[in-house]
Amino acid sequence: KHIMFELFDPGTKEFFKEMARAIPKFTVEISMESHDEHVRRAFGRSYTNEALERTIDYALEAGVDRFDLFFMVGLKEQTHESVMGTVEYSRNLLKRYHQMGEHRVIPFISPMAPFLDPGSIIFEAPEKHGYRLFARTLEEHRQILLQPTWKHVLNYETQWMSRDQIAAATYEAGRQFNLMKGEFGVLDVDQVNATDKRINEAIELMSEIDHIVQVEQNLEKRRQMLMQLKQRVDQANLGTVCDKSELDAAFTGSKINYFKAASLVIKDWTKDLNKRVIDYIHN
């Protein structure tokens, strides 16, 4: 059996030795959230980068099949510059392991989405934590789910980044993650090129949709214009910021997709675009 473990804190060398003795094939993931220790601490993760990097080394030494790192966009006290810092941190990490001939460490990034969880500390006191909510009630959430882009489905923005900035940072970070994985041999050239094409198309579509919604006042014409984009949108959102195959652990038999549900907001917001557009126009 191949078992995946999610860590919430750094692990010791002894922990991974015991894991390897008990389980011949295992994968580890940890949501590091940000490379910036200040941002990560504000999110409730108090460990240091040094402690996390030791954990990766211990896991690799013990024989982990792969070690996945997850970062998020839209955190408390996180700016666009901080997100780009996470890109650079990840690049340095991949470069370090590439020089060791090691390709088992794989970073991912996605928006913290689609919603701040109702009932959570941040949802109940958003202003205290630097968030602005666009939906509080069930009906308000139903309404924003009808919006024509994933950016407008977000029920929040922060005092450090607007929804537009969160979307822009997500796409730019996703592009850089994709290119660096190609550079350091995590992905092959075809995967990198295909993902880069999807990201570029998604950015262009986001701009076109924003323009249609903001400028076109005739509702029927707006509906027709949005519907003309459906096929392009469906193609662009098949794993936009990373290749879908990256998210499958290298298990024998049936594969398990264990990527964060947050990524779904990028690739699935147009799963039923026809109904979304019609409902959006009529509401």
Side-chain angles (χ1 to χ4, degrees), residues 126-259:
E127 295 81 7
K128 178 181 177 181
H129 297 280
Y131 284 84
R132 175 191 174 197
L133 289 183
F134 295 102
R136 284 186 175 275
T137 67
L138 179 61
E139 175 59 20
E140 287 171 345
H141 281 87
R142 187 188 74 81
Q143 288 293 334
I144 65 172
L145 280 169
L146 302 176
Q147 297 299 312
T149 75
W150 71 266
K151 175 179 68 179
H152 294 97
V153 170
L154 298 179
N155 74 345
Y156 71 93
E157 64 183 14
T158 76
Q159 70 181 57
W160 302 275
M161 283 199 288
S162 66
R163 284 197 291 195
D164 285 336
Q165 291 171 321
I166 289 171
T170 296
Y171 282 133
E172 180 58 27
R175 173 189 282 118
Q176 295 301 323
F177 266 58
N178 177 56
L179 294 176
M180 77 173 72
K181 288 176 184 179
E183 179 183 351
F184 296 114
V186 177
L187 297 177
D188 63 40
V189 173
D190 288 342
Q191 287 177 299
V192 171
N193 289 341
T195 298
D196 192 63
K197 182 178 179 180
R198 284 195 300 271
I199 291 173
N200 289 332
E201 176 73 355
I203 293 171
E204 183 178 334
L205 281 165
M206 182 78 77
S207 178
E208 290 183 39
I209 291 171
D210 279 349
H211 179 76
I212 291 170
V213 171
Q214 293 167 9
V215 174
E216 183 52 61
Q217 299 302 311
N218 184 293
L219 297 185
E220 177 58 24
K221 187 174 180 180
R222 183 192 297 177
R223 185 190 71 80
Q224 293 174 3
M225 294 172 71
L226 289 171
M227 285 305 301
Q228 288 174 1
L229 300 177
K230 183 180 186 304
Q231 186 173 1
R232 288 172 60 198
V233 168
D234 289 343
Q235 290 299 315
N237 284 278
L238 294 173
T240 305
V241 296
C242 67
D243 190 285
K244 194 172 183 180
S245 63
E246 287 187 69
L247 311 179
D248 293 324
F251 296 166
T252 56
S254 59
K255 292 185 176 181
I256 298 176
N257 184 325
Y258 55 87
F259 189 45

Side-chain angles (χ1 to χ4, degrees), residues 39-56:
V39 172
R40 190 161 65 246
R41 193 177 303 113
F43 192 73
R45 303 276 197 268
S46 60
Y47 55 81
T48 65
N49 291 347
E50 182 181 0
L52 187 280
E53 290 163 19
R54 284 199 304 269
T55 295
I56 298 174

Side-chain angles (χ1 to χ4, degrees), residues 16-127:
F16 287 109
K17 284 183 178 178
E18 289 296 321
M19 184 181 292
R21 277 196 286 267
I23 306 162
K25 295 180 68 64
F26 67 99
T27 296
V28 173
E29 70 165 41
I30 188 167
S31 293
M32 195 173 174
E33 318 305 359
S34 172
H35 80 290
D36 187 322
E37 294 177 3
H38 179 76
V39 172
R40 190 161 65 246
R41 193 177 303 113
F43 192 73
R45 303 276 197 268
S46 60
Y47 55 81
T48 65
N49 291 347
E50 182 181 0
L52 187 280
E53 290 163 19
R54 284 199 304 269
T55 295
I56 298 174
D57 292 340
Y58 294 153
L60 294 174
E61 184 181 341
V64 67
D65 278 17
R66 65 186 254 180
F67 196 110
D68 291 349
L69 285 173
F70 293 100
F71 298 98
M72 290 203 297
V73 181
L75 301 171
K76 179 180 180 180
E77 301 191 23
Q78 184 187 51
T79 63
H80 184 276
E81 291 73 22
S82 178
V83 176
M84 294 305 106
T86 294
V87 171
E88 187 59 27
Y89 174 83
S90 299
R91 176 182 297 281
N92 290 334
L93 205 61
L94 284 179
K95 181 178 180 180
R96 170 192 167 192
Y97 288 112
H98 176 75
Q99 291 172 342
M100 298 164 55
E102 180 59 72
H103 301 292
R104 287 178 288 168
V105 180
I106 307 178
F108 298 93
I109 194 163
S110 72
M112 186 172 70
F115 301 146
L116 295 183
D117 295 337
S120 67
I121 293 174
I122 296 177
F123 185 88
E124 294 303 318
E127 295 81 7

